[in-house]
Amino acid sequence: NATSTTNSGASLLRRARFKFDGSIYEAVDYSIEFDMANSANDNKGLQSPTQDNVANSPFPCNVWMQIRDVPLFGHVRIGNQVKPIGMTNNTYQGFLPFMERADNMDAFYGPFDEGFDPGISAIGWTASERIAWRYGIHRPLKNSAGIAINRYTVSGRITALPILEDDGRRLLHVG
């Protein structure tokens, strides 16, 4: 048939994630989240993806532990986590207006790792909560060509809310 699938009436899961998160004694937070609908082409580079050669393989998204209120660092997070780059990448999928993330997510932030990398990061904010930051050191598992690498990346993000008036009806948020 035109789509090269042997069973055009079949359906595939587009998105299915299992997430468990919580806190321990108000000092430690954790998150365990796997994408169960992550598809991988078994014949990448040889054939176009079809229902015959695409297999679902669980992908670890957020699998981390965080220690709160570490002096000089704020919250320290260790494990597989979202890199502090871009607004789309740092917005939880349940709050996105569309099923797909923006094109710049696929082009720049996470074309090969879905935007998640193992690493350590520090998260903090001012007492007024109008300035927030996050920075970290991550070890990408692949480079932009999909080749395994043995290097580290440093990334960070600072956001501010310089204008907040009329109970939030007028605001300016920059990042």
Side-chain angles (χ1 to χ4, degrees):
N1 58 36
T3 61
S4 75
T5 59
T6 58
N7 186 359
S8 61
S11 61
L12 298 172
L13 287 176
R14 184 70 180 113
R15 180 174 289 160
R17 290 195 178 186
F18 289 121
K19 181 175 183 175
F20 305 95
D21 60 5
S23 52
I24 303 169
Y25 297 118
E26 297 182 11
V28 176
D29 300 316
Y30 65 90
S31 177
I32 302 169
E33 180 180 18
F34 277 83
D35 183 357
M36 305 306 284
N38 182 52
S39 297
N41 184 354
D42 290 340
N43 297 308
K44 189 172 185 176
L46 302 175
Q47 296 176 330
S48 299
T50 67
Q51 289 180 346
D52 289 333
N53 63 16
V54 172
N56 286 342
S57 57
F59 178 82
C61 298
N62 283 306
V63 181
W64 50 260
M65 185 175 89
Q66 172 177 279
I67 302 170
R68 295 186 201 176
D69 302 322
V70 176
L72 301 175
F73 292 102
H75 293 21
V76 176
R77 185 175 292 175
I78 302 166
N80 203 56
Q81 56 190 294
V82 174
K83 296 172 283 192
I85 302 174
M87 186 69 171
T88 302
N89 194 34
N90 284 279
T91 302
Y92 181 69
Q93 67 169 2
F95 301 129
L96 293 174
F98 301 104
M99 183 178 243
E100 297 294 333
R101 293 190 185 271
D103 290 338
N104 63 343
M105 166 64 187
D106 292 332
F108 302 110
Y109 308 139
F112 299 98
D113 60 7
E114 303 292 329
F116 300 93
D117 276 332
I120 183 168
S121 63
I123 304 161
W125 51 88
T126 61
S128 67
E129 297 183 353
R130 295 193 53 181
I131 299 174
W133 58 87
R134 182 170 170 212
Y135 56 91
I137 299 171
H138 298 86
R139 184 178 184 275
L141 301 177
K142 299 177 185 175
N143 67 8
S144 60
I147 300 170
I149 59 175
N150 189 19
R151 301 207 176 170
Y152 293 86
T153 62
V154 176
S155 57
R157 178 174 178 80
I158 299 173
T159 61
L161 188 61
I163 298 173
L164 178 63
E165 300 171 353
D166 298 328
D167 293 326
R169 286 183 215 130
R170 292 183 38 164
L171 58 87
L172 175 65
H173 182 263
V174 293

